[in-house]
Amino acid sequence: MADITWISNEYEVGDFCMLIPGFAGQPIKAFDKNGEDITSTVFATNGFMKVDADYNPKPFEEWSIKDWPQTYQNPTYGNMYATGIAFAPPHSISKPMKSANGRAISPAPPRTGMPSGVIGKIVAENIAERIKSGKFERKHTANMGRMGAACIVSAGYNMTKGLGATITVSPVVPDWEKYPDWGRNIKSTVGEIGLAGHWIKLFLHYMFLHKAKGYPFWWLLPE
Ligand SMILES: Cc1cc2nc3c(=O)[nH]c(=O)nc-3n(C[C@H](O)[C@H](O)[C@H](O)COP(=O)(O)OP(=O)(O)OC[C@H]3O[C@@H](n4cnc5c(N)ncnc54)[C@H](O)[C@@H]3O)c2cc1C
């Protein structure tokens, strides 16, 4: 109720806002083989798993895509990885702000289907090569500051009157060194609403099922 009051105080009718639950990992405890509690070594305080990110606190002006993980491997326990939503981000992705009431506003990184798929793939490739060769060369990397993402939200199912909202961002984590004005390539960071989005969503539905079932040429299909 407090949150709803805050939002109604802050915004005019017609402004856009979204109510979502706090984003946190599962409250899992971790113990080593001697029974010692290693929870704080494996997990960040928000419950997500620590990986090869730079978790040193730093001001927004010093944030860099280099803070973001490449291999998603836990630095202490090399046989543990966290892909997709499970890994702990080093910080939020936009400049932390405060509402007029002093409430912190710090957007979490969108680890949606596409980045999760790309990260899962490179982690699987590194693990497979490690098992086969006995060496860990970290050949495959996926930094969210060098990765684009597309997301389509269905907003009406009909072949002629359907609606979909298509959103692309490139890169997912803003790279202020490469794109000093906006942090992103503004030409490939777009949002469109229309019937085409519905058709693309339908196509993706069958494409991903084809891939998940390992049907012919599944490996050619992107994440
Ligand atoms: C309604 C909805 C719509 C979405 N639409 C889009 C979209 O249009 N585009 C887009 O890009 N993204 C979309 N997303 C986001 C996308 O689905 C997620 O970002 C993505 O699935 C995250 O992948 P993940 O592998 O990190 O986690 P998940 O896909 O959640 O995979 C985690 C898996 O772990 C399993 N699991 C959990 N606990 C245990 C346990 N104790 N033991 C064993 N297994 C366990 C779960 O069953 C699950 O299969 C949507 C999400 C939702 C909920």
Side-chain angles (χ1 to χ4, degrees):
M1 185 52 83
D3 279 350
I4 292 169
T5 312
W6 164 68
I7 281 168
S8 63
N9 286 345
E10 290 289 305
Y11 292 92
E12 299 291 325
V13 173
D15 280 356
F16 175 81
C17 66
M18 190 192 278
L19 277 176
I20 53 172
F23 199 42
Q26 290 296 315
I28 299 171
K29 288 261 173 211
F31 299 89
D32 68 9
K33 60 185 174 188
N34 301 320
E36 200 174 316
D37 192 327
I38 53 167
T39 307
S40 61
T41 309
V42 177
F43 299 109
T45 45
N46 57 12
F48 296 116
M49 189 189 285
K50 289 182 191 169
V51 291
D52 60 322
D54 181 353
Y55 294 109
N56 291 316
K58 48 180 96 165
F60 170 73
E61 291 70 28
E62 290 174 27
W63 287 1
S64 159
I65 61 165
K66 295 184 195 110
D67 302 339
W68 289 78
Q70 306 263 45
T71 59
Y72 304 85
Q73 188 187 25
N74 182 270
T76 313
Y77 299 95
N79 58 343
M80 294 173 73
Y81 298 81
T83 66
I85 292 170
F87 81 86
H91 40 66
S92 56
I93 58 167
S94 306
K95 188 172 184 173
M97 309 288 270
K98 272 195 178 162
S99 74
N101 297 344
R103 181 180 294 267
I105 304 169
S106 51
R111 287 164 288 170
T112 51
M114 202 166 161
S116 301
V118 172
I119 293 167
K121 183 177 177 181
I122 67 104
V123 167
E125 285 173 335
N126 278 336
I127 293 173
E129 284 177 12
R130 191 177 175 182
I131 292 168
K132 281 184 189 160
S133 71
K135 291 182 270 177
F136 187 48
E137 296 177 311
R138 298 182 175 88
K139 275 192 208 159
H140 307 278
T141 58
N143 183 311
M144 282 178 59
R146 296 199 188 88
M147 190 194 299
C151 192
I152 303 167
V153 184
S154 282
Y157 186 85
N158 187 289
M159 290 299 186
T160 53
K161 294 183 199 138
L163 208 55
T166 309
I167 305 154
T168 61
V169 287
S170 177
V172 180
V173 172
D175 182 350
W176 294 100
E177 282 166 36
K178 194 168 178 186
Y179 306 106
D181 289 339
W182 304 99
R184 292 199 172 103
N185 182 344
I186 211 68
K187 287 190 184 147
S188 48
T189 299
V190 292
E192 288 284 344
I193 299 178
L195 177 63
H198 167 69
W199 278 87
I200 299 170
K201 186 90 182 178
L202 197 62
F203 170 74
L204 292 178
H205 172 82
Y206 289 108
M207 187 185 87
F208 288 133
L209 281 177
H210 184 98
K211 182 170 176 155
K213 290 181 177 176
Y215 286 162
F217 302 110
W218 67 268
W219 43 271
L220 285 174
L221 301 174
E223 268 63 52

